[in-house]
Amino acid sequence: MTVKEIFETMDYGPAPESAAEALAWLVDQGDKFGHYIDGAFTKPGKGFDSRNPATGEVLAKLTQAKQADVDAAVGAARKAQPKWEKLGGAGRARYLYAIARLLQKHSRLFAVLESMDNGKPIRESRDIDIPLAQRHFYYHAGMAQLMESELPDAQALGVCGQIIPWNFPLLMLSWKIAPALAMGNTVVLKPAEYTSLTALLFADICTQAGLPKGVVNIVTGDGAAGEMIVNSDVDKIAFTGSTVVGRRIREATAGSGKELTLELGGKSAYVVFDDADIDSAIEGLVDAIWFNQGQVCCAGSRLLVQEGIADRFHEKLRARMDMLRIGDPLDKCIDVGAVVDPVQLQTIKGMVESNTAGHVHQAACELPENGCYYPPTLISGLETSDPLMQEEIFGPVLVSSTFRTPEEAVELANNTRYGLAATVWTENVNLALDIAPKLVAGVVWVNATNLFDAAAGFGGVRESGFGREGGWEGLAAYTKPKGKAKPLAKVEATTGEGAPVDPIDRTAKMYIGGKQARPDSGYSKPVWGKSGLLGHVGLGNRKDVRNAVEAAAGAKGWSKTTGHLRAQVLYYIGENLSARADEFAVRIDAMTGKKDGAKEVEASIQRLFTAAAWADKYDGQVHGVPIRGVAIAMKEPVGVIGALCADEAPLLGLVSAMAPAIAMGNRVVLAASEPYPLAATDFYQILETSDVPAGVVNILTGSHAELAKPLASHLNVDAVWSFSSTDLSKEIEVVSAGNIKRTWVNNATAFDWSVDHSRRFLQAATEVKNIWVPYGE
Ligand code: NAI
């Protein structure tokens, strides 16, 4: 035998991690768990078994939460919240530090318990899950410390309901609990039914850290318990899990005023260009799709390889797959562990078996006889339309296709309803940085994959959900502006009869795609002022919404313009409005019957100038993440925003929504104030003379109730805002669930338009994309 042969046949010996400590901890707890409510474990009740997916053995018995348990947990959290918030950021920081330290001190116990409960290799739980969980608490201890000085206008939301999945049990818990607590909220968290054990160990840590009672509450159970939390008296729901359940939660919370963040599924593209370092790209792919058995929401599950290297790449990939070691998760030499549960294993098998396209290669490894194991699998030669190129498998199954040009790579990568993450491999920095902004995803990794850090926000676009976890941007999900909102007051149109004030017919048209457009309905309504009939406006309908959205979607070029250019256009609008200020003031007063039109016009001009000022200053950040690189947090426009504008401030309401949105590169479809629409229809004359490209701003008139639904259901609308005095929050949010649109609705509360809320608007008008690039030594 040659040395080479010996080297090649040398296999790893087993290196098992002991389960003794974790088993002893379970025995100490009596192998049975109740919920953790108000600082103590409740008596275990009726429930279900938690099993080790690698062996099938029962690890513990868990209690299924009933309504009374959820109520008790929410009650405890509610009671504890004011005191916890009043403790101040520095006070809370100490507890978060203490928790981080305790997690560190017990890190091996957590890692072993996690691997036993979930089936993930100990290498991963030990080196990734648990250290990242600790880091999240350290990082957010810092955020608590800085809250008062850096976020002076922010306050806690109150009680947060948090529902997490089974793929990163402790890590997802940390992502949810650390920022919530840092910002002064208390929580009720439900771990996934397959993997509750590290959450219960975490409860123990909270007690050890001396965390005040009721600040963290943990209830166990299945989806029914999750539903109870969603419907309970909480101020926010933070959910990570499947898109199907996320959609259901969106519908259930619609119009309730509960804040919502959804971190859902993905089918993330892994793009390899022909100049890539192929061996590194293949190692990256191992981490992209076989990390955690592929049960990762941002798994690089869709490989796109440039045609010229495709054969060689696939050949090398298959050879690498055959080297993967699959087996006992507690063995330190294992690459791929067990799938979380027989149900999930069956789902994966079913999906792969249903596929008839392409070529299937499964790793030449021996699967353990018992336990939930599935071999690493590659299905190559698929077309974009093949179901497995579109559906999330959530298992160790990679699908692949090829592309010819960078343009085609982008097109294929974006050909998905999801938008969570993407990976780009190329040795050409110009190409990487050209492609990254074009990928529709919340996270992009360049020459690396599946990197996470508390400092870099994580979250998706499209049907991958909304909201970010981590970083400064993640804090927005756990805070609200200081102050108490006033209730919404319905603004009724002035009624009247008789002849027009001015005998010339004044029927204002709508403004679509840079042109004045008659309403499709062929109907219009009179607009009365105290002095008589002021004119008519068209009654917009579904078809007008469609036309306006089409125009906005077509004005994509606006999103690519520079902030400098957008600022110039906004200044120009401001100047032109200023030149006609008196005329607008008279118009507003005539409609509202008040005398503050001049003030409203002046405030509108200020809003335009403020948005212009921000257009080239509302920058992203560069996060110093602990890898040899940085994460560039880019603020990107949301896309097409539909807004029902304030009724009570006919010009200022419209301008306050429009200006920051277009400053950030969005295109808008605005429904004018319903009772006082004429300021908006006059305003398009200003737009026409201010170099606003066609389609960037579209203005409709008519009934908000009529326009809300088609706006919220339109697939090309990315976000819907409602400041209408008709509370349409519920209708909008229910319908928005269709493609998981972002919503910002007033939930029957009034906005004070005399105050400049530009920052809130800028935030709502942008999505943060974190692009991880290698940098430095
Ligand atoms: P799931 O979305 O059903 O479960 C996630 C969490 O939500 C669990 O804690 C569950 O108990 C809870 N839940 C379930 N139904 C609920 C409801 N109606 N209201 C409130 N909470 C509810 O995910 P599941 O069934 O465990 O996995 C199914 C598929 O979901 C996977 O095959 C995968 O495709 C996807 N998934 C995606 C994850 C991600 O991180 N994006 C994580 C887990 C699953």
Side-chain angles (χ1 to χ4, degrees):
M1 224 182 205
T2 65
V3 172
K4 185 167 177 277
E5 281 165 347
I6 293 170
F7 187 74
E8 274 170 2
T9 52
M10 227 172 16
D11 206 358
Y12 284 82
E17 176 77 33
S18 166
E21 290 243 3
L23 290 171
W25 180 76
L26 290 170
V27 170
D28 273 359
Q29 314 298 311
D31 294 331
K32 280 195 189 91
F33 290 87
H35 312 294
Y36 182 72
I37 297 174
D38 208 16
F41 278 103
T42 60
K43 226 170 101 216
K46 257 191 157 166
F48 51 97
D49 293 339
S50 184
R51 289 174 187 273
N52 179 340
T55 61
E57 74 180 307
V58 175
L59 293 170
K61 289 199 175 305
L62 303 178
T63 305
Q64 171 70 29
K66 295 195 286 292
Q67 189 63 50
D69 302 314
V70 171
D71 291 347
V74 173
R78 181 68 66 200
K79 198 162 142 231
Q81 198 273 328
K83 218 166 151 194
W84 177 245
E85 189 174 6
K86 277 204 199 90
L87 198 57
R92 295 193 299 274
R94 293 190 176 205
Y95 286 104
L96 290 165
Y97 273 122
I99 292 172
R101 286 228 176 281
L102 283 162
L103 285 176
Q104 217 163 9
K105 205 160 93 182
H106 298 292
S107 59
R108 197 51 74 96
L109 174 59
F110 270 105
V112 173
L113 191 63
E114 196 76 299
S115 281
M116 288 168 67
D117 200 15
N118 165 281
K120 62 174 70 203
I122 183 78
R123 264 184 336 125
E124 293 178 8
S125 50
R126 183 195 60 195
D127 299 344
I128 298 168
D129 292 58
I130 311 303
L132 280 176
Q134 294 156 17
R135 162 114 176 104
H136 229 74
F137 276 95
Y138 278 125
Y139 179 85
H140 284 96
M143 286 301 199
Q145 186 76 26
L146 297 176
M147 184 180 179
E148 280 93 12
S149 66
E150 301 307 307
L151 303 166
D153 301 326
Q155 63 175 343
L157 290 171
V159 176
C160 302
Q162 307 183 313
I163 300 165
I164 58 172
W166 39 258
N167 51 351
F168 293 93
L170 186 75
L171 185 56
M172 288 302 107
L173 172 149
S174 309
W175 280 23
K176 298 275 182 285
I177 291 186
L181 263 48
M183 296 294 106
N185 304 280
T186 54
V187 304
V188 175
L189 176 134
K190 189 193 83 63
E193 50 273 42
Y194 300 149
T195 55
S196 303
L197 297 181
T198 48
L200 295 165
L201 176 57
F202 178 82
D204 222 13
I205 294 290
C206 292
T207 305
Q208 285 181 43
L211 193 71
K213 290 192 304 185
V215 171
V216 168
N217 303 274
I218 292 172
V219 295
T220 52
D222 60 12
E227 242 172 279
M228 288 174 196
I229 296 177
V230 169
N231 295 323
S232 69
D233 171 33
V234 292
D235 302 295
K236 179 205 165 79
I237 292 291
F239 173 78
T240 299
S242 60
T243 300
V244 175
V245 173
R247 189 171 282 129
R248 213 175 296 159
I249 293 177
R250 166 71 295 176
E251 286 164 0
T253 54
S256 66
K258 287 175 193 162
E259 293 289 329
L260 178 66
T261 42
L262 297 175
E263 204 271 271
L264 310 174
K267 190 77 185 178
S268 300
Y270 190 98
V271 184
V272 185
F273 287 98
D274 59 7
D275 68 343
D277 171 348
I278 292 186
D279 292 329
S280 298
I282 284 177
E283 277 321 297
L285 204 41
V286 170
D287 287 339
I289 185 65
W290 293 302
F291 169 53
N292 200 14
Q293 296 68 250
Q295 303 164 132
V296 182
C297 49
C298 54
S301 53
R302 205 161 41 102
L303 170 65
L304 301 171
V305 197
Q306 198 154 14
E307 219 169 63
I309 58 162
D311 289 344
R312 192 151 59 95
F313 190 88
H314 281 104
E315 197 181 312
K316 281 193 163 218
L317 177 58
R318 285 190 274 267
R320 179 67 182 92
M321 286 170 70
D322 293 344
M323 306 284 286
L324 289 170
R325 296 175 301 272
I326 180 164
D328 177 11
L330 285 187
D331 185 335
K332 287 171 222 142
C333 297
I334 283 303
D335 297 311
V336 180
V339 165
V340 72
D341 188 87
V343 172
Q344 186 65 12
L345 182 63
Q346 214 38 55
T347 306
I348 299 167
K349 277 186 182 159
M351 288 184 85
V352 174
E353 280 163 18
S354 70
N355 170 64
T356 50
H359 172 258
V360 181
H361 175 80
Q362 296 200 305
C365 54
E366 247 180 64
L367 296 188
E369 263 179 39
N370 299 313
C372 296
Y373 291 97
Y374 195 81
T377 301
L378 164 69
I379 309 179
S380 51
L382 293 186
E383 302 287 335
T384 309
S385 55
D386 287 321
L388 291 194
M389 282 294 272
Q390 296 292 338
E391 298 304 321
E392 184 180 43
I393 301 174
F394 227 65
V397 183
L398 175 68
V399 295
S400 91
S401 190
T402 58
F403 66 87
R404 287 187 182 159
T405 61
E407 292 69 36
E408 198 191 353
V410 170
E411 204 181 299
L412 291 177
N414 291 341
N415 192 326
T416 163
R417 62 197 166 103
Y418 296 112
L420 194 49
T423 301
V424 182
W425 286 83
T426 169
E427 290 298 289
N428 179 350
V429 64
N430 298 319
L431 181 61
L433 297 180
D434 177 53
I435 298 295
K438 294 178 182 159
L439 294 169
V440 183
V443 185
V444 176
W445 293 290
V446 174
N447 291 336
T449 202
N450 270 344
L451 299 175
F452 312 99
D453 183 55
F458 182 88
V461 296
R462 293 184 175 168
E463 292 189 33
S464 292
F466 45 75
R468 295 288 178 268
E469 300 194 284
W472 289 99
E473 59 266 36
L475 301 179
Y478 287 101
T479 54
K480 63 180 178 191
K482 277 188 179 157
K484 238 183 148 101
K486 290 203 190 92
L488 191 65
K490 176 91 174 107
V491 184
E492 300 290 354
T494 311
T495 50
E497 53 187 34
V501 178
D502 179 344
I504 299 175
D505 177 51
R506 307 260 174 208
T507 303
K509 299 196 184 68
M510 295 190 278
Y511 187 60
I512 297 177
K515 292 199 188 85
Q516 302 190 19
R518 285 206 174 76
D520 168 75
S521 68
Y523 286 105
S524 55
K525 66 165 189 177
V527 181
W528 294 92
K530 285 246 151 40
S531 55
L533 184 66
L534 301 175
H536 285 81
V537 289
L539 286 175
N541 68 10
R542 177 175 289 274
K543 180 91 188 298
D544 300 307
V545 169
R546 278 214 306 264
N547 292 341
V549 173
E550 205 175 300
K556 270 199 190 86
W558 180 252
S559 303
K560 297 195 184 117
T561 55
T562 61
H564 173 73
L565 181 133
R566 295 194 295 267
Q568 301 314 305
V569 171
L570 280 156
Y571 280 126
Y572 201 10
I573 302 174
E575 283 165 17
N576 285 333
L577 179 59
S578 162
R580 290 176 55 184
D582 295 345
E583 196 184 312
F584 270 87
V586 169
R587 180 66 123 180
I588 292 169
D589 288 346
M591 285 191 294
T592 62
K594 294 184 194 155
K595 294 255 170 302
D596 47 13
K599 235 164 91 187
E600 183 172 337
V601 177
E602 179 50 31
S604 303
I605 296 166
Q606 289 306 328
R607 285 304 133 80
L608 285 160
F609 279 27
T610 302
W614 275 119
D616 54 2
K617 297 175 193 66
Y618 193 65
D619 295 327
Q621 283 180 315
V622 179
H623 298 302
V625 284
I627 57 151
R628 195 185 60 80
V630 291
I632 309 172
M634 296 294 296
K635 285 185 170 150
E636 295 189 339
V638 170
V640 174
I641 298 175
L644 305 178
C645 299
D647 287 326
E648 63 277 24
L651 181 67
L652 184 57
L654 179 124
V655 168
S656 298
M658 179 204 78
I662 66 170
M664 292 297 102
N666 298 283
R667 291 91 69 196
V668 293
V669 176
L670 306 169
S673 162
E674 189 175 328
Y676 312 134
L678 298 176
T681 55
D682 291 349
F683 187 69
Y684 60 60
Q685 293 160 10
I686 303 275
L687 296 172
E688 276 172 341
T689 53
S690 306
D691 289 349
V692 182
V696 172
V697 179
N698 303 277
I699 298 176
L700 304 176
T701 49
S703 149
H704 284 176
E706 187 88 11
L707 298 171
K709 214 168 153 194
L711 262 183
S713 61
H714 201 298
L715 291 180
N716 284 340
V717 174
D718 301 288
V720 179
W721 300 348
S722 175
F723 310 107
S724 172
S725 78
T726 308
D727 184 17
L728 295 162
S729 310
K730 185 162 183 177
E731 287 85 333
I732 289 173
E733 291 193 327
V734 166
V735 178
S736 75
N739 68 340
I740 318 274
K741 252 181 211 75
R742 282 122 195 79
T743 56
W744 182 14
V745 293
N746 51 2
N747 287 308
T749 59
F751 230 79
D752 180 358
W753 297 102
S754 66
V755 177
D756 185 348
H757 299 284
S758 292
R759 269 191 178 271
R760 286 178 74 188
F761 278 91
L762 291 165
Q763 193 184 320
T766 47
E767 295 273 8
V768 180
K769 176 193 268 181
N770 272 282
I771 304 168
W772 295 61
V773 295
Y775 179 84
E777 295 183 76

